[in-house]
Amino acid sequence: RSWDLRLVVCTKTEQPTPFGILTNGAQDPETSQSISWLSGIATSAAKAQVKYSENADLSGAAIAEGTSEIVTFVQSTSGDALRVNRVTVSGLTAGKTYYFQVGDGTESGWSEINTFRTADASAKSTDFFILGDIQSTNTVYLSRALTELAKQPYDYDFAIQTGDAIDQVAEYTKYWVPFLNIVNAGSLGGTDLIHALGNHEYYGDADGSISGAIYDLPQSAQNSWYTMDYGKVSVTVINH
């Protein structure tokens, strides 16, 4: 008896430093923060850490640990493999700005310093913006939109990405790299980004596990849902 067997070999994609750092939506945004990023398998250890402090120079920093897993982006005849790292920092104070670095615990493995701000339920207003249906390798207009948002006189409490951000999630270099070069903790000023999954997030990834890992989602399966509350706004996400 014999069988036909097709194998796709995924390359250990080079990524010398932490890449695509995201401050994601959190289910307890007043006291916790979800942070995720990618790193190369050959250039990072299988450990995820966030060093954080209320001081810009990270003096008195604490370290939170999370998970690091290898995620594959499988196309028809080839693929990419990277580490996806996720950390939830807890025990934070509401309405505070924190400074942080991500890394694998090695001295040379730390990222640049970024910021995030915890939610404050007692604030008089809740400000947010929405990004929708991005799915393009041409990020000129997206970059321009984020630049204009940064000029506005608001301290955004969160943002929503409504789905179909990535046209083909299994194509890391073509789609994920341009997107994460533009949409990241640095360009968003540490604003929490709540992600919904559209039909394109399931092309080549039926259970949404790739997007679920990169965005550190509570749920990623089709038709799954979850709720996040920021100040005076409650957001219910239905993945479709």
Side-chain angles (χ1 to χ4, degrees), residues 8-226:
V8 176
V9 177
C10 293
T11 303
K12 294 180 181 179
T13 304
E14 292 186 12
Q15 195 61 65
T17 57
F19 172 71
I21 302 168
L22 294 171
T23 46
N24 307 295
Q27 294 190 294
D28 186 8
E30 290 187 40
T31 62
S32 67
Q33 178 66 58
S34 162
I35 300 171
S36 60
W37 69 98
L38 294 98
S39 59
I41 296 171
T43 54
S44 64
K47 180 182 287 188
Q49 292 188 338
V50 170
K51 184 190 299 183
Y52 64 99
S53 172
E54 292 184 36
N55 303 309
D57 62 357
L58 290 183
S59 57
I63 291 181
E65 300 212 12
T67 61
S68 180
E69 65 174 310
I70 293 176
V71 172
T72 55
F73 302 77
V74 181
Q75 296 108 57
S76 58
T77 60
S78 62
D80 299 280
L82 295 101
R83 296 192 197 281
V84 174
N85 309 280
R86 294 178 282 180
V87 174
T88 296
V89 183
S90 58
L92 303 174
T93 302
K96 288 281 188 179
T97 295
Y98 289 86
Y99 300 84
F100 74 95
Q101 289 177 298
V102 304
D104 61 1
T106 63
E107 193 61 34
S108 60
W110 293 109
S111 70
E112 73 280 5
I113 296 175
N114 285 288
T115 65
F116 65 81
R117 183 166 58 89
T118 50
D120 184 358
S122 66
K124 293 182 178 180
S125 64
T126 303
D127 300 312
F128 64 96
F129 62 87
I130 298 174
L131 302 173
D133 205 26
I134 299 167
Q135 59 171 291
S136 174
T137 56
N138 184 345
T139 55
V140 173
Y141 294 114
L142 175 60
S143 179
R144 187 180 302 168
L146 293 180
T147 298
E148 289 302 313
L149 284 167
K151 294 178 182 178
Q152 304 307 308
Y154 304 107
D155 288 326
Y156 296 108
D157 296 283
F158 70 97
I160 301 171
Q161 186 273 108
T162 62
D164 290 350
I166 304 295
D167 191 53
Q168 297 283 344
V169 295
E171 297 193 36
Y172 172 74
T173 301
K174 185 176 181 179
Y175 291 105
W176 282 105
V177 171
F179 175 73
L180 293 172
N181 269 328
I182 300 299
V183 180
N184 53 64
S187 65
L188 297 177
T191 300
D192 285 12
L193 189 53
I194 299 173
H195 299 270
L197 302 188
N199 62 311
H200 280 264
E201 274 79 20
Y202 296 103
Y203 290 173
D205 186 33
D207 61 359
S209 61
I210 294 175
S211 300
I214 292 175
Y215 299 146
D216 194 18
L217 299 181
Q219 303 284 341
S220 65
Q222 294 187 59
N223 300 315
S224 61
W225 65 277
Y226 56 89

